[in-house]
Amino acid sequence: MMKEHLNETREWVLTIIATIILILVIRTYLFSPVIVEGDSMNPTLVEGDRLFINKIGMYIGDIERLDVVVFKGKNNTHYIKRVVGMPGDQLHFKNNHLYINDQLVSESYIIEDDYQRDMTLNTLYGFDKIPEDYYFVLGDNRSNSMDSRQRSIGLVHESQILGASNVIVWPLNRIQDVKE
């Protein structure tokens, strides 16, 4: 009887330890929860929205234009922004419109009356194209977003990107695709 009780206790302890290890592996290498703070991604993401960032995609796939990514900035601050410019892209704003490789970009995810001053990559950073392994990221709420337009954030190197998340998972009434 005592031996059976010890075996059952040992099985429970091993199950709990295995579960904790599995959760840590999943959270570290596969998926991680994120809670949106602030309003730089309004109207797409609002304060309190919850997402899971896909970390495994960073190892097996590429970052795509319009992905919503979480990246590590200076001082270990984490940001949630949309990838707008890809490596090799030319990018500029003119008359409140975004142009990538001289093509007007339709941005249905931004606030339409959000004013954006005219600028080019050259005026911001002194070069005409986004360098290899770097991305130009923007908040959807352009007038209230710290993003690649500010030197304090700058272009984001792929090594800074922790993962992408294209779906709100909570609250239930806000579950939606955020990529487009």
Side-chain angles (χ1 to χ4, degrees):
M1 182 79 164
M2 180 71 140
K3 190 174 183 178
E4 287 178 21
H5 185 24
L6 277 173
N7 283 339
E8 187 175 328
T9 302
R10 186 173 349 137
E11 284 181 30
W12 273 105
V13 168
L14 290 174
T15 300
I16 291 169
I17 291 171
T19 301
I20 291 170
I21 291 171
L22 183 61
I23 289 170
L24 289 173
V25 167
I26 289 171
R27 186 173 173 145
T28 303
Y29 298 106
L30 302 178
F31 300 99
S32 185
V34 174
I35 299 174
V36 175
E37 296 176 12
D39 60 358
S40 71
M41 285 296 292
N42 281 350
T44 307
L45 300 174
V46 299
E47 181 131 7
D49 281 351
R50 287 165 172 76
L51 315 132
F52 279 106
I53 60 169
N54 176 355
K55 293 180 175 185
I56 192 75
M58 303 305 299
Y59 304 111
I60 62 172
D62 290 324
I63 298 162
E64 296 179 2
R65 188 181 318 277
L66 302 183
D67 277 349
V68 173
V69 297
V70 175
F71 65 94
K72 190 182 340 180
K74 296 170 177 73
N75 301 323
N76 285 331
T77 304
H78 292 100
Y79 297 92
I80 300 175
K81 304 294 176 194
R82 186 179 300 278
V83 173
V84 175
M86 305 291 289
D89 282 348
Q90 293 178 324
L91 182 143
H92 69 276
F93 287 94
K94 185 169 182 166
N95 297 326
N96 210 30
H97 294 289
L98 171 64
Y99 292 83
I100 297 176
N101 301 322
D102 293 323
Q103 298 293 313
L104 176 65
V105 177
S106 173
E107 297 183 285
S108 60
Y109 44 82
I110 66 168
I111 298 170
E112 285 189 37
D113 61 349
D114 212 1
Y115 177 73
Q116 171 59 57
R117 69 182 172 89
D118 290 358
M119 68 177 69
T120 68
L121 279 175
N122 200 311
T123 59
L124 286 173
Y125 299 108
F127 42 81
D128 294 327
K129 293 183 179 183
I130 298 172
E132 189 173 328
D133 300 329
Y134 283 88
Y135 298 87
F136 194 94
V137 297
L138 294 170
D140 291 354
N141 184 358
R142 301 283 163 79
S143 64
N144 192 20
S145 177
M146 293 290 296
D147 49 41
S148 289
R149 297 170 297 170
Q150 289 83 28
R151 288 188 175 271
S152 60
I153 301 293
L155 296 173
V156 177
H157 190 269
E158 69 181 5
S159 65
Q160 294 174 261
I161 298 175
L162 304 175
S165 179
N166 292 318
V167 178
I168 299 170
V169 296
W170 188 264
L172 293 176
N173 65 337
R174 296 230 348 112
I175 293 176
Q176 63 183 341
D177 181 4
V178 297
K179 189 162 182 178
E180 296 181 31

